[in-house]
Amino acid sequence: MKVIICDNYEQIAKEVAKMVSDQINEKPDSVLGMATGTTPAGVYKELAKMYENGKLNMSEVKTFNLDEYYPMAADDEHSYHSFMNKHLFSKVNIRPENIHMLDGKCKNPKVECDNYEKKISECGGIDLQFLGFGQNGHIGFNNPDVSLEGDTHLTKLTQKALDVHYAHFENPEDAPTHALTMGLGTIMRSKKIVIMASGALKHRIVRRILKRNIRTDVPATILHIHPDVTLVCDRAAYEGVRIGVDLGGTEMKIGVVDDNFQILKKVTAPTPQGADADAVATQIAEKCLELMNDYNVGSIGIGTPGLIRNSKVSAVNLNFDNYDLAGAVKEKTGVTTYIANDANCAALAEAAAGAGRDVKNSVVLTLGTGVGGGIIFDGKIYEGKGSGGELGHFPIVYGGKKCGCGLEGCFEKYASTTALMEMATDAAIKNPDSLLAQKYAENQNKLNGLLFFEAVRENCPVANTTLDEYTDYLSAGINGLIYIFDPEKVIISGGISGAGDALLSPLKEKIKFDVPIVIAEHKNNAGLIGASLLH
Ligand code: F6R
């Protein structure tokens, strides 16, 4: 089997359309086997474009479609007849008499199917059959079963197929219960076959097809014994999905992430407390194995708190002491596992799939309880020996406030949300008549970012002065970071970034450089998505 791996779906469509047009150029009266579904739709679009540009002539081409619902009138909007007319036949110069489709309203399905087979052989057989397949490995309506039928036949839709197809019908009672479909023998008699797969959800079947075992519970695996099959798939279908693990002190979030950075499934689990390090690895591995029942996973990435050296992690609150967490998870799951600092993972998500996706060099600053973040250098996390990019702990005030890290005057002591709230609380207490003080009192002598920025928006002079002081510190750090890294963008994330322009406007005025300062796009899932991107 020849395999062509494309970057994305658009490329698959172009590649397959080119194969079809090559086939037609070589043999203008080619017999094509057609499929329906989202995957071939893009190919038809490309073919229609080619025809419009005078690069395709289908006047001699004959087509046979794989399948049709039963019972189903050809002019029903849900029919595959309607699909083909809409996507291809009405847009190219194919002759109506050369189009062959199974009649979903036929009186005698057996006769209809036998005639279909006869017509195919009368036309000299199918020259090029193109196919999509379902997540259970069906092709046409040849669904998984203990035995599979060879020729065109009437088949009852399986529950899984019904679930998929009912989604297309407003009223499920109108949905057909059966279908007419070419059999696997019909398909295998085609001279050439092109099978397409797009998206991580198809990965499992792609792997199965490539494994060379023929299984009746994955009908598409039969294609392996055909002498001329080309699989055209995108990277997501070929490589599969990745698991990202955002390991926190109390809870871990584990998610399956596809090539478009979408979380397909997410689970959470408590992080074992006070247990040995191996208990954490076991918990991660168990959750991953659960997810691996439904998804074929290419890699696992773990974002962890703590210090990483030579891929081993030390984190006091997790009982990790130079522990090979990635190695332990790999051993338990059998899947390649990577590890990085959690703040760096969140930065990577922002850089690859968020506000920094259009640049290669950025600094992501997470303003929260502390200051975290990461440096993205040439599209990758800058890690130094393992935990580089610890942006909260460079001193910006000589002899300043003592920091938990042992230094004094660290950036996070002045630029974190905690620092801003300390400054604001101080100001509210010192200015009891201010609007800020009023909000502080109304909230049981407690301030939060929301209340503080409310006061800023309502033009409270005390809140404004506090913000001015805070942005002095924040901008000092950012100016320093820009001097050192010369990034194309600075991305602000963390809870306080929700303030948007109320924070950005005064901050930007104090930035010495012409570097865009923007708000992050990801919220709670940044760590998980970033971890999934580790490689
Ligand atoms: C339909 C057909 C099916 C589809 C399959 C994938 O004629 O042959 O095998 O190709 O259900 O459909 P999509 O492309 O929508 O995922």
Side-chain angles (χ1 to χ4, degrees):
M1 183 177 296
K2 192 174 158 200
V3 182
I4 298 175
I5 303 165
C6 301
D7 280 343
N8 49 42
Y9 173 67
E10 287 70 33
Q11 235 187 58
I12 297 180
K14 285 202 169 88
E15 189 72 42
V16 177
K18 164 97 176 44
M19 288 167 139
V20 175
S21 84
D22 287 351
Q23 168 70 37
I24 297 173
N25 285 341
E26 201 178 299
K27 185 177 177 236
D29 61 347
S30 286
V31 180
L32 302 181
M34 317 299 271
T36 53
T38 39
T39 323
V43 179
Y44 298 147
K45 200 169 158 194
E46 284 300 319
L47 290 175
K49 245 198 260 169
M50 284 177 174
Y51 170 68
E52 233 178 80
N53 298 335
K55 293 191 175 134
L56 185 76
N57 177 4
M58 293 187 78
S59 61
E60 303 295 316
V61 169
K62 297 187 183 77
T63 62
F64 284 87
N65 262 82
L66 268 172
D67 45 10
E68 179 57 282
Y69 290 123
Y70 185 84
M72 173 70 67
D75 59 2
D76 189 300
E77 58 167 323
H78 299 103
S79 76
Y80 287 176
H81 280 75
S82 298
F83 178 96
M84 290 307 297
N85 283 331
K86 177 174 163 204
H87 290 275
L88 185 70
F89 296 154
S90 63
K91 301 192 168 160
V92 293
N93 63 338
I94 188 159
R95 294 204 190 117
E97 64 271 28
N98 284 347
I99 296 170
H100 302 90
M101 294 193 73
L102 286 151
D103 178 7
K105 265 284 189 220
C106 66
K107 296 252 151 46
N108 187 333
K110 171 88 177 78
V111 173
E112 172 71 10
C113 294
D114 289 350
N115 283 342
Y116 205 61
E117 287 285 344
K118 237 165 81 196
K119 265 189 254 164
I120 295 175
S121 39
E122 278 165 14
C123 289
I126 293 170
D127 292 305
L128 175 67
Q129 170 73 55
F130 56 105
L131 298 172
F133 60 81
Q135 284 173 50
N136 62 355
H138 71 248
I139 38 180
F141 273 103
N142 295 283
N143 281 302
D145 211 337
V146 274
S147 81
L148 300 167
E149 284 199 53
D151 291 338
T152 303
H153 60 281
L154 175 71
T155 184
K156 195 169 174 339
L157 299 189
T158 58
Q159 191 53 49
K160 231 188 176 129
L162 288 174
D163 292 345
V164 172
H165 294 287
Y166 279 7
H168 302 297
F169 292 84
E170 267 160 40
N171 184 1
E173 275 128 52
D174 296 340
T177 51
H178 288 69
L180 301 166
T181 181
M182 283 185 191
L184 290 175
T186 328
I187 294 169
M188 292 295 279
R189 282 191 289 275
S190 313
K191 289 163 204 151
K192 243 188 239 172
I193 297 177
V194 176
I195 183 150
M196 299 169 275
S198 170
L201 291 175
K202 300 280 171 82
H203 173 70
R204 191 148 62 144
I205 302 301
V206 167
R207 282 285 121 203
R208 291 255 158 94
I209 293 174
L210 294 176
K211 241 186 174 166
R212 295 162 180 262
N213 290 339
I214 295 165
R215 306 169 47 148
T216 62
D217 63 345
V218 188
T221 54
I222 196 172
L223 296 174
H224 226 294
I225 51 172
H226 190 283
D228 190 348
V229 180
T230 306
L231 167 69
V232 186
C233 61
D234 54 22
R235 225 168 274 290
Y238 190 73
E239 288 173 3
V241 289
R242 299 156 166 169
I243 287 184
V245 181
D246 184 5
L247 179 59
T250 50
E251 187 188 70
M252 56 178 85
K253 288 187 251 174
I254 304 171
V256 177
V257 181
D258 72 9
D259 237 34
N260 296 317
F261 316 114
Q262 298 301 313
I263 298 177
L264 305 176
K265 189 165 181 183
K266 180 171 135 183
V267 294
T268 56
T271 304
Q273 299 295 308
D276 65 356
D278 212 47
V280 179
T282 304
Q283 176 77 297
I284 294 175
E286 273 172 12
K287 289 289 155 195
C288 290
L289 287 166
E290 263 172 51
L291 292 169
M292 283 159 64
N293 284 329
D294 292 327
Y295 298 91
N296 214 328
V297 171
S299 66
I300 298 171
I302 305 172
T304 174
L307 208 73
I308 298 167
R309 289 278 179 270
N310 301 322
S311 302
K312 301 207 175 99
V313 53
S314 299
V316 182
N317 54 350
L318 288 168
N319 279 333
F320 293 162
D321 181 12
N322 204 29
Y323 178 57
D324 185 8
L325 178 63
V329 170
K330 182 181 174 205
E331 201 181 297
K332 291 172 202 291
T333 58
V335 175
T336 311
T337 305
Y338 304 97
I339 192 157
N341 174 269
D342 52 359
N344 279 339
C345 288
L348 183 61
E350 210 48 61
R357 65 167 78 77
D358 55 338
V359 297
K360 286 198 138 186
N361 301 294
S362 55
V363 168
V364 185
L365 260 186
T366 309
L367 309 176
T369 314
V371 170
I375 294 146
I376 305 298
F377 175 67
D378 205 18
K380 297 192 188 80
I381 305 174
Y382 172 75
E383 289 184 303
K385 282 189 283 161
S387 293
E390 192 59 85
L391 302 183
H393 296 280
F394 63 93
I396 57 163
V397 178
Y398 179 69
K401 294 182 195 171
K402 267 208 167 339
C403 182
C405 74
L407 295 174
E408 287 173 352
C410 283
F411 186 38
E412 80 167 24
K413 294 308 272 178
Y414 299 87
S416 58
T417 312
T418 315
L420 173 61
M421 288 310 108
E422 276 169 18
M423 290 176 203
T425 306
D426 221 36
I429 293 168
K430 282 190 188 133
N431 298 278
D433 297 333
S434 65
L435 181 62
L436 186 65
Q438 193 185 320
K439 291 189 187 288
Y440 169 75
E442 280 169 10
N443 194 41
Q444 281 132 24
N445 290 350
K446 259 176 92 184
L447 278 175
N448 56 39
L450 230 58
L451 289 175
F452 175 76
F453 280 101
E454 242 176 56
V456 170
R457 283 193 195 93
E458 288 164 33
N459 224 355
C460 164
V462 175
N464 286 340
T465 312
T466 308
L467 183 59
D468 188 42
E469 187 191 352
Y470 171 73
T471 50
D472 276 348
Y473 289 119
L474 184 56
S475 61
I478 293 177
N479 278 323
L481 289 168
I482 297 175
Y483 257 125
I484 301 169
F485 297 107
D486 194 14
E488 293 161 85
K489 253 186 198 178
V490 173
I491 302 165
I492 310 282
S493 73
I496 200 178
S497 65
D501 275 347
L503 170 70
L504 283 194
S505 301
L507 176 65
K508 281 178 180 170
E509 280 174 25
K510 298 174 185 178
I511 300 299
K512 222 177 141 258
F513 304 87
D514 188 20
V515 177
I517 315 278
V518 298
I519 297 292
E521 288 177 14
H522 288 287
K523 302 263 173 309
N524 295 334
N525 290 326
L528 189 160
I529 294 172
S532 79
L533 297 174
L534 297 174
H535 58 271

